């Protein structure tokens, strides 16, 4: 279904969910009308970037029902992130209940099925108690806010141009596989460099050998080979995208497409017909070209703006997300 031309920014909505962690336990959590966070100047989030987040979306179905997509996987990924950052885990049932509460409270702001777009949901956690030694905080806030959104890139269907970055996104055995705020802070300089060079995003290579494709700053990469296989880069230092895992299942189970999840060498791009960036924000955005310092790898884009196979996968994914196409069990969760 077509998404209305609308961008991807923050809009203050009436309600956000807030729960506080103190003395080893989370409180019951409330819906708050206050979008501001007041914390100590020496809070661990301010001094040592002890913060992590998730990204997910709620949609309206044709019948006007509010649904969200695979929130259990966001809860599980946040748990892994919190463990790695020495932050307290939000139990999965509390996470999902909080998502439902905050979406329900802002239900009028989910774009209608006809309008297209979605309500972006941003769960995040910060360390709030003061630190000076390099130690985790003892107190935390977990919050979720939402914002109505459309396309992440350029407000419409744009085939994207990416550049191979000279900088690394993640160290070997580092934090590339979790959703830590610090992974994004380090990418800001490189993202602006890409924009200044006329590109939409960066392709990061594996930091140990700089020979394999990792991912972009805010989405995983997937490819279609010239013989029609879905090629999915595998690495321990990329974020395990829920969108990518869903697309792999759709490719196999809905289309019978052969999927290869493996390391992908940069030079192999010459053998691929299609490329896409996949993620909650990116959905499955078409890529027309990746430049490795002037050496261009070009990918096929059809008249509708998408690659042939990735376009079909995108259509099926978005159809599942809004309830038009039958979803595998547990993928689409009712809000009310
Ligand atoms: N990779 C990075 C670095 C991301 O920030 C995101 C966004 O969440 C993704 C991949 C895509 O993950 P998901 O499909 O779970 O949103
Ligand atoms: C998401 O897709 O939810 C992300 O967190 C990526 C970010 C670029 C918005």
């Amino acid at each position: 279904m077509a998404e209305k031309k609308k961008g991807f920014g923050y809009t203050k909505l009436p309600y956000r969910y807030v729960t506080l962690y103190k003395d080893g336990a989370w409180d019951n959590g409330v819906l708050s009308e206050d979008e501001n966070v007041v914390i100590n100047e020496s809070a661990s989030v301010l001094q040592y970037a002890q913060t992590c987040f998730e990204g997910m979306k709620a949609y309206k179905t044709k019948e006007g029902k509010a649904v969200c997509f695979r929130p259990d996987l966001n809860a599980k990924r946040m748990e892994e992130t919190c463990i790695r950052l020495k932050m307290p885990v939000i139990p999965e049932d509390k996470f999902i209940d909080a998502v439902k509460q905050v979406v329900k409270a802002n239900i009028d702001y989910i774009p209608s099925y006809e309008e297209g777009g979605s309500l972006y949901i941003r769960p995040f956690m910060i360390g709030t108690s003061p630190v000076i030694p390099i130690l985790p905080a003892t107190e935390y806030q977990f919050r979720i806010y939402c914002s109505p959104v459309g396309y992440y890139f350029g407000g419409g269907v744009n085939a994207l141009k990416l550049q191979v970055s000279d900088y690394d996104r993640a160290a070997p055995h580092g934090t590339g596989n979790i959703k830590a705020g610090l992974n994004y802070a380090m990418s800001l300089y490189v993202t602006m460099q890409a924009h200044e060079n006329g590109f939409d995003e960066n392709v990061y290579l594996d930091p140990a050998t700089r020979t394999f494709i990792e991912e972009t700053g805010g989405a995983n990469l997937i490819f279609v080979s010239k013989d029609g296989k879905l090629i999915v880069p595998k690495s321990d230092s990329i974020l395990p995208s829920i969108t990518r895992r869903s697309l792999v299942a759709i490719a196999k189970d809905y289309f019978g497409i052969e999927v290869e999840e493996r390391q992908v060498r940069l030079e192999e791009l010459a053998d691929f017909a299609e490329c896409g960036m996949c993620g909650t924000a990116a959905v499955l955005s078409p890529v027309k070209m990746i430049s490795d310092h002037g050496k261009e790898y070009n990918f096929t884009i059809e008249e509708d703006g998408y690659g042939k196979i990735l376009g079909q996968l995108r259509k099926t994914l978005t159809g599942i997300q809004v309830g038009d196409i039958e979803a595998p069990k547990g993928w689409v969760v009712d809000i009310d």
Side-chain angles (χ1 to χ4, degrees):
M1 114 191 205
E3 283 182 286
K4 193 178 166 186
K5 286 203 173 193
K6 179 165 51 181
F8 206 99
Y10 172 79
T11 306
K12 181 193 158 191
L13 295 193
Y15 296 102
R16 68 275 310 120
Y17 174 89
V18 185
T19 181
L20 308 180
Y21 182 89
K22 200 176 171 179
D23 300 327
W26 290 105
D27 70 11
N28 285 337
V30 290
L31 289 172
S32 165
E33 290 183 62
D34 188 356
E35 77 278 25
N36 295 304
V37 183
V38 178
I39 50 174
N40 185 278
E41 62 192 344
S42 199
S44 71
V45 60
L46 299 179
Q47 301 306 323
Y48 302 131
Q50 202 185 15
T51 178
C52 64
F53 69 99
E54 273 302 322
M56 48 209 294
K57 282 175 173 171
Y59 310 85
K60 279 276 175 75
T61 66
K62 203 182 273 177
E63 297 75 35
K65 208 167 65 170
V67 293
C68 72
F69 187 66
R70 308 191 80 179
D72 53 326
L73 296 190
N74 293 95
K76 289 194 179 86
R77 190 169 62 190
M78 191 157 202
E79 176 173 345
E80 281 155 24
T81 302
C82 287
I83 290 168
R84 177 68 173 82
L85 296 179
K86 290 306 273 182
M87 301 174 89
V89 165
I90 287 276
E92 184 175 323
D93 55 352
K94 187 175 176 77
F95 182 100
I96 293 176
D97 174 63
V99 167
K100 287 184 177 177
Q101 280 192 46
V102 76
V103 173
K104 227 167 156 171
N106 296 296
I107 206 144
D108 294 343
Y109 297 88
I110 307 178
S112 67
Y113 174 90
E114 292 73 24
E115 189 187 356
S118 56
L119 187 72
Y120 186 68
I121 306 166
R122 174 54 66 89
F124 68 104
M125 195 187 295
I126 54 173
T128 52
S129 53
V131 292
I132 288 190
I134 304 173
L135 287 172
T138 54
E139 294 175 16
Y140 293 84
Q141 283 196 26
F142 170 74
R143 304 174 69 101
I144 308 180
Y145 67 84
C146 323
S147 192
V149 296
Y151 290 97
Y152 187 71
F153 291 102
V157 183
N158 294 314
L160 305 172
K161 291 197 296 181
L162 314 181
Q163 68 167 14
V164 174
S165 171
D166 286 326
Y167 291 84
D168 295 325
R169 172 180 174 273
H173 316 294
T175 56
N177 60 340
I178 58 162
K179 219 160 159 51
L182 59 93
N183 292 342
Y184 300 82
M186 76 76 221
S187 75
L188 299 174
Y189 179 82
V190 202
T191 301
M192 296 323 288
Q193 238 186 11
H195 293 177
E196 282 155 23
N197 292 344
F199 295 94
D200 299 285
E201 250 281 20
N202 287 285
V203 173
Y204 294 98
L205 301 179
D206 81 286
T209 69
R210 312 207 90 244
T211 50
F212 299 107
I213 299 283
E214 293 255 294
E215 62 171 325
T216 70
N220 283 180
L221 283 164
I222 56 174
F223 303 92
V224 176
S225 61
K226 287 184 178 153
D227 58 357
K229 290 182 198 149
L230 189 67
I231 312 289
V232 182
K234 195 172 172 174
S235 158
D236 289 341
S237 50
I238 66 179
L239 194 77
S241 159
I242 294 162
T243 315
R244 183 249 294 163
R245 285 180 268 165
S246 306
L247 288 164
V248 164
I250 290 168
K252 285 181 184 164
D253 301 340
Y254 288 62
F255 291 95
I257 293 173
E258 195 179 323
V259 179
E260 283 183 13
E261 294 192 64
R262 58 169 175 83
Q263 287 189 313
V264 174
R265 288 190 172 278
L266 176 60
E267 314 83 71
E268 277 187 76
L269 293 183
D271 303 330
F272 296 155
E274 296 178 42
C275 173
M277 287 173 59
C278 61
T280 299
V283 190
L284 181 47
S285 297
V287 174
K288 66 178 171 198
M289 193 266 277
I290 296 178
S291 169
D292 175 22
H293 304 87
K295 180 172 170 41
E296 291 189 2
Y297 298 96
N298 291 289
F299 306 101
T300 313
I301 301 291
E302 304 290 316
E303 257 175 34
D304 64 359
Y306 297 100
K308 197 168 176 183
I309 292 180
L310 294 184
Q312 280 176 345
L313 296 183
R314 180 191 162 108
K315 221 167 154 184
T316 307
L317 173 71
T318 54
I320 287 172
Q321 287 169 331
V322 298
D324 282 349
I325 297 175
E326 196 180 347
K329 196 163 177 285
W331 279 24
V332 175
V333 173
D334 287 356
I335 292 297
D336 22 31

